[in-house]
Amino acid sequence: MDTIRNDLGRLILRLTLGGLLLLHGIHKILNGVDPVRAVLANYHLPDFIVYGVYFGEVAAPVLIILGIFARIGALLIIVDVIVAIVLARLAEVFKVSAQTGAYALEAESFFLFCAVAVALLGAGRYSLAGPDERWN
């Protein structure tokens, strides 16, 4: 019974993380990555790096949702979120909203730590690759 609950918890974690982050990726597919490109330009980084967002916000969430190479997908998300924080939100790392009391990087923290959990726990039994696949 514990194994079933653990695997169900992993599935819920994967679907939540993957589903919510994939919405960000779909938005970038539909509307382009020009805002990300502008941030990269501020740091004089090469333009091709902008396409990494598709790995972190489209490919990785799909891998996690399906449970195929879920740990690799989680690692891609971890890198994506850390890069986003460093390039776009670093000044807000220690800020809390005066109006709501919410942490300024609430969404980024959610994505980051859920991805860490998936990387540590793996996808579990309810995945296309199954629980025994090395990177799952």
Side-chain angles (χ1 to χ4, degrees), residues 52-111:
V53 78
Y54 292 121
F55 287 103
E57 296 182 16
V58 178
V62 169
L63 292 174
I64 286 175
I65 289 168
L66 296 176
I68 302 171
F69 298 111
R71 292 181 198 264
I72 292 173
L75 293 173
L76 288 170
I77 290 171
I78 291 167
V79 170
D80 179 71
V81 173
I82 289 173
V83 168
I85 290 170
V86 168
L87 295 181
R89 309 275 314 263
L90 196 58
E92 300 173 70
V93 168
F94 297 109
K95 290 189 178 179
V96 174
S97 168
Q99 295 172 336
T100 64
Y103 178 49
L105 302 181
E106 200 169 78
E108 292 85 352
S109 297
F110 170 80
F111 293 131

Side-chain angles (χ1 to χ4, degrees), residues 2-132:
D2 281 341
T3 303
I4 293 171
R5 283 193 303 235
N6 289 341
D7 286 323
L8 186 58
R10 288 182 180 118
L11 175 63
I12 292 168
L13 175 64
R14 284 186 10 246
L15 294 177
T16 303
L17 170 62
L20 292 176
L21 190 56
L22 184 58
L23 293 173
H24 288 264
I26 291 169
H27 180 267
K28 287 176 178 72
I29 289 171
L30 297 175
N31 298 295
V33 291
D34 287 337
V36 178
R37 185 175 278 119
V39 171
L40 293 174
N42 289 339
Y43 289 93
H44 308 289
L45 293 170
D47 195 51
F48 73 88
I49 294 174
V50 75
Y51 297 104
V53 78
Y54 292 121
F55 287 103
E57 296 182 16
V58 178
V62 169
L63 292 174
I64 286 175
I65 289 168
L66 296 176
I68 302 171
F69 298 111
R71 292 181 198 264
I72 292 173
L75 293 173
L76 288 170
I77 290 171
I78 291 167
V79 170
D80 179 71
V81 173
I82 289 173
V83 168
I85 290 170
V86 168
L87 295 181
R89 309 275 314 263
L90 196 58
E92 300 173 70
V93 168
F94 297 109
K95 290 189 178 179
V96 174
S97 168
Q99 295 172 336
T100 64
Y103 178 49
L105 302 181
E106 200 169 78
E108 292 85 352
S109 297
F110 170 80
F111 293 131
L112 178 64
F113 292 111
C114 285
V116 169
V118 171
L120 293 172
L121 295 171
R125 155 191 343 222
Y126 305 120
S127 63
L128 290 182
D132 296 328

